[in-house]
Amino acid sequence: MDWFEQARAAERGQDWDVAITLVSARAECYSNDPDMHDNHLWHMDLLARAERISELTERALADVHARRRLNRLLGERGMEAALRMRAEDGDRGALYVLVRLLCGTSRVQEAQQALQDIDPENQYARQIVAGHS
């Protein structure tokens, strides 16, 4: 069985340590090799599915893919406070996830307030809110 089959089997069995170890060894962000780049995205997804929020948070400082996957995970978990903190620190992606989360749970006024508090001039976030008003 090659590494890919081993990683998929570990993933199916939720043996996150094995899957992450196998995939991360063959992963590179923005690699010229599309397989290495795909493996990087897979690696970020495995970290999220393993709920390794601290590791994703650390990687998110320098890796846009980790940042996006972290924000998505926080949104899926309904972690509004964490998204808000990230948005207040300048992460626009976190702001978009926060606004979508609030609007998607029928809290458009809260989304409008969050937008007003964090980045009132952000046109894209304003469009998200307007689409739910």
Side-chain angles (χ1 to χ4, degrees):
M1 182 182 310
D2 71 357
W3 77 268
F4 183 84
E5 293 168 345
Q6 290 175 340
R8 284 291 183 206
E11 182 180 24
R12 281 190 301 276
Q14 297 183 355
D15 187 347
W16 302 121
D17 291 337
V18 170
I20 289 167
T21 299
L22 289 166
V23 174
S24 67
R26 293 159 182 88
E28 183 181 324
C29 186
Y30 294 118
S31 173
N32 289 329
D33 178 343
D35 290 332
M36 294 284 282
H37 182 70
D38 287 346
N39 291 340
H40 175 67
L41 299 176
W42 184 12
H43 179 212
M44 297 305 102
D45 189 57
L46 289 170
L47 291 174
R49 292 174 53 211
E51 297 192 12
R52 293 190 181 178
I53 292 174
S54 61
E55 188 172 345
L56 271 173
T57 301
E58 183 179 322
R59 289 175 175 276
L61 296 172
D63 183 335
V64 67
H65 303 106
R67 189 167 41 253
R68 288 177 186 156
R69 192 57 184 94
L70 172 62
N71 290 336
R72 196 169 97 218
L73 175 64
L74 296 174
E76 290 166 356
R77 299 286 183 270
M79 299 175 73
E80 295 168 23
L83 285 167
R84 186 178 185 96
M85 284 178 33
R86 294 184 58 73
E88 288 171 346
D89 287 343
D91 184 341
R92 288 182 315 217
L95 176 62
Y96 304 149
V97 173
L98 175 63
V99 168
R100 281 190 194 98
L101 176 62
L102 293 170
C103 288
T105 53
S106 301
R107 294 181 289 161
V108 175
Q109 282 189 314
E110 286 181 52
Q112 289 170 332
Q113 187 61 53
L115 178 55
Q116 187 63 35
D117 294 345
I118 298 169
D119 189 359
E121 302 303 315
N122 188 307
Q123 293 302 311
Y124 183 68
R126 292 168 67 93
Q127 288 174 357
I128 295 170
V129 173
H132 288 86
S133 297

